[in-house]
């Protein structure tokens, strides 16, 4: 029985290399990306490079409109994998928000209600 790996954030950069490494070693690969279009494009590239491998991508909107972790989307992904009878033995949490452009020293709550001095 082949082993299955789930790799998050695997449509660009390091995620691509991680998918290719596991696919080249005979794993079934499940991967996620934020955009349905990027997932579809990456899946096509992976199938072209590894035609004998089982590789399937899922769009996973990882953040809510409020910028919070989208726990519902993660739960739905695992429910889908359960329905498809896919058992994940290995998990690679590659997805990351680099925080580029974030203003970490600005807190809107503090600015609205500055503490009394």
């Amino acid at each position: 029985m082949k082993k299955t790996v789930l790799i998050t954030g695997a449509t660009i950069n390091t995620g691509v290399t991680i998918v290719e490494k596991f696919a080249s070693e005979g794993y079934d690969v499940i991967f996620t990306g934020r955009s349905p279009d990027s997932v579809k494009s990456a899946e096509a590239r992976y199938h072209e490079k590894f035609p004998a491998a089982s590789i399937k991508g899922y769009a996973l909107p990882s953040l809510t409109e409020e910028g919070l972790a989208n726990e519902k989307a993660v739960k739905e992904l695992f429910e889908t994998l359960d329905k498809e009878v896919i058992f994940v033995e290995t998990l690679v949490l590659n997805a990351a928000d680099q925080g580029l452009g974030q203003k970490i020293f600005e807190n809107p709550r503090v600015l609205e209600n500055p503490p009394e001095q």
Side-chain angles (χ1 to χ4, degrees):
M1 183 172 148
K2 291 177 88 173
K3 291 187 177 182
T4 302
V5 61
L6 168 59
I7 305 164
T8 64
T11 60
I12 60 171
N13 302 329
T14 306
V16 172
T17 304
I18 296 169
V19 167
E20 292 178 352
K21 177 66 173 169
F22 278 97
S24 71
E25 292 188 6
Y27 278 74
D28 288 342
V29 177
I30 305 296
F31 73 94
T32 68
R34 290 184 187 180
S35 155
D37 290 338
S38 66
V39 168
K40 184 177 180 180
S41 176
E43 190 173 45
R45 288 191 315 272
Y46 296 142
H47 284 289
E48 185 176 320
K49 190 165 186 175
F50 301 97
S54 173
I55 303 174
K56 188 167 184 178
Y58 294 87
L60 181 67
S62 56
L63 299 175
T64 65
E65 290 181 19
E66 296 81 24
L68 303 173
N70 191 344
E71 293 179 32
K72 181 181 177 194
V74 174
K75 183 178 178 184
E76 288 172 354
L77 171 64
F78 280 94
E79 287 172 353
T80 298
L81 295 176
D82 285 346
K83 286 178 188 171
E84 296 178 6
V85 192
I86 297 172
F87 180 75
V88 175
E89 290 89 1
T90 305
L91 176 63
V92 179
L93 299 174
N94 173 64
D97 185 340
Q98 300 293 325
L100 302 176
Q102 289 184 347
K103 298 176 182 177
I104 62 171
F105 295 109
E106 293 181 18
N107 183 332
R109 292 184 182 143
V110 172
L111 296 176
E112 292 171 6
N113 301 309
E116 294 184 26
Q117 305 261 345

